[in-house]
Amino acid sequence: MHIPDGILPITISAAGYATSGAATWYSLRKIGQKENAQASVPKASLLTAAFFVASWIHIPVPPTSVHLVLNGLLGAVLGYYAFPAILIGLFFQAVMFQHGGLTTLGVNATMMGVPALLAFFIFRLRRVVGKESRWAVGLFGFLAGAAGLGIAALIAWGLLINTIPAHLDVEAERASIYALTLAHMPLIVLEGIFTALVALFLHRVKPEILED
Amino acid sequence: MIDGLDKYAHLRSSLHRWDPRYKLVGLITLMFAFSFVQDLRLLPAMLAVTSGLYAASRMPLAFLLTRLRTPGVFVIVVAILWPFISGTTVIARIGPLSLRQEGTLAMGLIVVKFISILTISLVLFGTAPFLTTIKALRALGLPPILGDMTLLAYRYLYEIGNDLKTMERAMGLRGFRAQWLSSRALGVLASLAGTMLVRSYEQSERVYKAMILRGYGHSSHPRDQFHRMVCIRAHPRDWAGLVGVFLVAAGFVAMEIWLRGSGG
Amino acid sequence: MKPALWISQSTFSYPDHPNVLQSIDLQIMPGERVGLIGPNGAGKTTLFLLACGVLRSDTGEILLFGEPVLPGDFHPEIGMVFQHPDDQLFCPSVWDDVAFGPQNLGLSKAEVASRVETALSLVGTLELASRPPHHLSGGEKRMISIAGVLAMQPRLIIYDEPSANLDIRSRRRLISFLQASRETILIASHDLELVLEVCERVVLLDEGRIVADGDPRETMGDVALMEAHGLERPHSLVYHAEPHHGCSGEAAAKREI
């Protein structure tokens, strides 16, 4: 769902860079406030690479297979490092695989990164129930994963529908929005389930990863 | 993967010799200038500039075509709808579908812009080793944390990717076939992803120890640890290249504004 | 003469693993080449991390060339070559990685370049300078991780399992290199033959305690001692008139003559 170059008007691309800049600034500030920010740079960096690779895992969805986005899980695990991680991951994808775009880097980063940060906040809410509780990890993991993809998809489709130079009639426009949302529902659920499963795995094997 | 991108980074062309900092600024400006274009009359000029730059880079055409293939498919799929659903002026009928003029033209615009911008980005990143380009970004003011993270992530991407392949192979050799979306398959794949994350996390702790043992955080420079770009004195040639590209970009923007203004 | 490394009454526990090191007393004099042997889990790597100041001992003190080791401080006089080169080669190119330490020492660009070239030449890998680490073989990675430590010109170098995963030729190259080096070195290794060839003193560590400290041939030749601590006598110390290659005594004796 990365938006490639050439489709969006320059005002949107520029706005995307502005919002990305703001989100990056916010994230770096929050990171700088932490005690041992320096120690967490290698952690965040290697996890960024690991998430990038993890999104290559094929999930069979007959008749084909899909690659999950995992921005919700990334948010849950990396916290404030999530936005820089997504920015870097998208940069690698654009440059190495021509997936997504460079003029649209800001837009894509905002589209994936802001939901990732929101997923972090959602996942953190499990403290209300009790951090050690397994079902809280599972439930909030699911919510974080679903929200991560769901909000990103909403932003993506909203952008595409509203900015592509088209002379669509209202009917066609509404129909296409419904169709796209419907098509994404199963993926959103899948993403939520997968995120919950990985969160439960991490909670069992290496709970420190899920610490804030 | 990453190697693929650096394949032609050692060639000798004016673009390879261009100071990476100026190249970054110049070519990104050009990409945005292309992004600004909406008028179809500017497309031939765009294609001319793009092919000119690619030819000057001396990289083979096959390289560009392989790189265009995968994203091209996505764009085609999206763009293929447009001639049939967008617009009111019908220019042809194919069975129950009506080919519309506005949509066809919009598709043409998207496809040409996409190809041009992608080609420019390949020229930017293919004519210097990836590492050099990152250092150029740092020299241009990329925040230290982002610079460190990018370099470390880039360094370990290959290892982690290999680890994934090895683990998938090992799973396959013990009979795992992920063909159906069963809860078991999903659980196994979630464990695979989780294992990768845990291993990377644990490795990062060792890497951090290795870093501090060699002075990470104790540099006399208050900035980040990876930024020590060998200071290349910029040649007048580098400046000339930048000015040249700026002029071309400005030209496109000016023409676009003028064409819009004159009711194009 | 001040000891290069002086560990006195040091203990250390991890939160989930108590008594990893129990009251360790160890002195290493400048110029010595010491081998540290012991089963997995004996505490060798932990001991190294204490000596480098990465971990802080719960009790006791540690002096490096007479100065106390302060955890968190940068001590370029001591360098450590990690067990897995990939954990240590974290820069995208070999040149950058070897330059990392000297740059953190605040040296000038010229000095950094000179140190990098010297270090790479010493380990015989100057031609690999522009390559990315993930393109290198295990042996090459090992030598470059050593170069990265040498570039800081430490006076004491710790090697953690240096010959692990090396092929025969790379291992031989490593042994020759260690034999020729002039720094004080401390090597932890399961490769007991390497310890025999390189070190003039061996320390046996088991369950967080030093159980033996002395001449390598005597210590490692003591079958009872070695086997009591999960080790074996190295093959080269086995008396070769004893039949031990799976054939009968007579035939073996005949063949030896």
Side-chain angles (χ1 to χ4, degrees), chain A residues 3-9 104 160 163-165, chain B residues 74-75 78 110 113-114:
Chain A
I3 303 179
D5 291 306
I7 294 185
L8 296 177
T104 50
L160 286 173
T163 63
I164 293 189
Chain B
F74 174 84
V75 172
V78 168
I110 289 175
K113 275 168 68 167
F114 167 76

Side-chain angles (χ1 to χ4, degrees), chain C residues 6-230:
Chain C
W6 191 74
I7 300 179
S8 161
Q9 308 263 312
S10 294
T11 55
F12 186 81
S13 297
Y14 286 107
D16 54 347
H17 199 161
N19 295 328
V20 172
L21 291 175
Q22 305 185 56
S23 200
I24 299 284
D25 283 292
L26 181 64
Q27 275 190 54
I28 297 182
M29 301 308 285
E32 275 197 289
R33 293 212 278 249
V34 182
L36 184 64
I37 61 176
N40 279 341
K44 304 192 287 290
T45 304
T46 308
L47 184 63
F48 289 166
L49 294 176
L50 280 179
C52 293
V54 173
L55 297 173
R56 183 198 297 268
S57 61
D58 298 333
T59 65
E61 65 172 332
I62 299 176
L63 298 180
L64 193 60
F65 297 100
E67 300 297 322
V69 169
L70 300 167
D73 269 13
F74 180 27
H75 300 279
E77 329 78 80
I78 186 169
M80 177 158 156
V81 178
F82 282 54
Q83 191 167 351
H84 303 290
D86 281 320
D87 294 342
Q88 197 160 17
L89 297 174
F90 44 78
C91 292
S93 84
V94 166
W95 201 97
D96 286 310
D97 201 90
V98 180
F100 186 78
Q103 282 165 354
N104 289 325
L105 288 170
L107 301 173
S108 70
K109 282 205 185 70
E111 258 266 40
V112 169
S114 149
R115 292 233 187 158
V116 171
E117 279 177 34
T118 310
L120 285 173
S121 308
L122 264 171
V123 302
T125 55
L126 190 55
E127 71 281 6
L128 299 176
S130 57
R131 302 265 295 277
H134 55 259
H135 278 173
L136 304 174
S137 71
E140 288 167 337
K141 282 186 192 177
R142 168 55 74 211
M143 296 318 283
I144 288 169
S145 63
I146 295 176
V149 171
L150 287 178
M152 295 197 294
Q153 294 179 354
R155 294 159 69 189
L156 166 62
I157 305 184
I158 297 178
Y159 291 88
D160 195 352
E161 301 291 346
S163 65
N165 292 322
L166 290 186
D167 64 18
I168 308 287
R169 200 182 297 173
S170 305
R171 178 179 172 274
R172 182 48 51 190
R173 206 163 130 191
L174 174 71
I175 292 178
S176 309
F177 171 80
L178 290 172
Q179 285 169 331
S181 66
R182 284 168 298 182
E183 294 89 0
T184 311
I185 57 185
L186 178 55
I187 305 178
S189 187
H190 290 308
D191 185 346
L192 302 180
E193 299 289 352
L194 180 149
V195 173
L196 270 176
E197 285 194 61
V198 174
C199 306
E200 67 253 358
R201 177 179 159 203
V202 85
V203 172
L204 173 52
L205 190 71
D206 191 11
E207 291 185 351
R209 289 183 209 281
I210 293 181
V211 238
D213 183 345
D215 176 74
R217 303 187 86 85
E218 277 172 30
T219 311
M220 293 200 278
D222 183 340
V223 178
L225 176 71
M226 295 296 274
E227 288 182 1
H229 296 286

Side-chain angles (χ1 to χ4, degrees), chain B residues 10-260:
Chain B
H10 59 276
L11 295 180
R12 301 188 155 285
S13 76
S14 46
L15 281 154
H16 284 80
R17 284 191 297 261
W18 199 7
D19 183 309
R21 294 167 295 180
Y22 295 86
K23 191 162 45 179
L24 254 171
V25 174
L27 292 182
I28 293 202
T29 309
L30 188 62
M31 281 193 252
F32 273 100
F34 283 176
S35 174
F36 182 64
V37 166
Q38 300 286 359
D39 197 303
L40 294 157
R41 287 169 284 186
L42 290 173
L43 294 185
M46 193 187 289
L47 282 173
V49 167
T50 306
S51 10
L53 274 172
Y54 195 79
S57 76
R58 305 236 182 116
M59 296 192 292
L61 190 60
F63 185 51
L64 176 64
L65 292 174
T66 28
R67 294 270 152 185
L68 278 177
R69 206 172 37 202
T70 332
V73 166
F74 174 84
V75 172
I76 295 293
V77 163
V78 168
I80 212 104
L81 297 172
W82 247 243
F84 296 103
I85 58 174
S86 170
T88 47
T89 324
V90 178
I91 50 180
R93 281 192 197 280
I94 305 170
L97 299 167
S98 324
L99 192 70
R100 299 156 201 265
Q101 180 185 2
E102 292 86 353
T104 313
L105 294 176
M107 182 193 93
L109 180 70
I110 289 175
V111 170
V112 171
K113 275 168 68 167
F114 167 76
I115 292 178
S116 304
I117 296 178
L118 213 85
T119 308
I120 304 288
S121 91
L122 195 60
V123 167
L124 173 58
F125 288 101
T127 54
F130 191 67
L131 177 56
T132 306
T133 315
I134 305 293
K135 288 183 173 174
L137 276 169
R138 276 292 300 119
L140 289 170
L142 185 72
I145 285 194
L146 286 183
D148 281 359
M149 279 180 70
T150 306
L151 286 172
L152 272 175
Y154 173 68
R155 159 69 184 95
Y156 286 100
L157 204 51
Y158 192 85
E159 318 278 350
I160 298 177
N162 261 3
D163 274 351
L164 177 67
K165 249 193 296 185
T166 309
M167 281 196 274
E168 285 180 327
R169 199 175 289 161
M171 278 172 22
L173 283 172
R174 286 202 285 160
F176 180 70
R177 301 275 178 271
Q179 276 159 349
W180 310 108
L181 191 57
S182 66
S183 61
R184 182 173 179 262
L186 211 53
V188 168
L189 293 172
S191 298
L192 178 62
T195 301
M196 276 181 49
L197 293 176
V198 171
R199 281 217 212 156
S200 306
Y201 183 84
E202 290 180 339
Q203 181 168 35
S204 77
E205 293 183 319
R206 299 192 295 267
V207 169
Y208 178 60
K209 290 195 178 100
M211 288 170 83
I212 55 176
L213 277 174
R214 287 202 279 152
Y216 183 60
H218 289 272
S219 165
S220 48
H221 279 239
R223 297 162 82 196
D224 73 309
Q225 309 301 303
F226 289 105
H227 165 54
R228 297 303 162 116
M229 186 165 167
V230 176
C231 234
I232 311 167
R233 278 279 147 73
H235 273 254
R237 213 173 41 209
D238 297 315
W239 270 114
L242 184 63
V243 170
V245 172
F246 272 168
L247 286 173
V248 171
F252 273 97
V253 173
M255 282 303 294
E256 173 69 26
I257 296 175
W258 183 77
L259 285 168
R260 276 191 213 176

Side-chain angles (χ1 to χ4, degrees), chain A residues 5 8 10 23 46 94 112 122 136 139 142 145 152 156 158 171 184 190 195:
Chain A
D5 291 306
L8 296 177
I10 195 170
L46 266 75
M112 308 265 207
I122 291 176
L139 173 66
F142 174 82
E171 279 304 312
H184 261 72
L190 182 61
T195 304

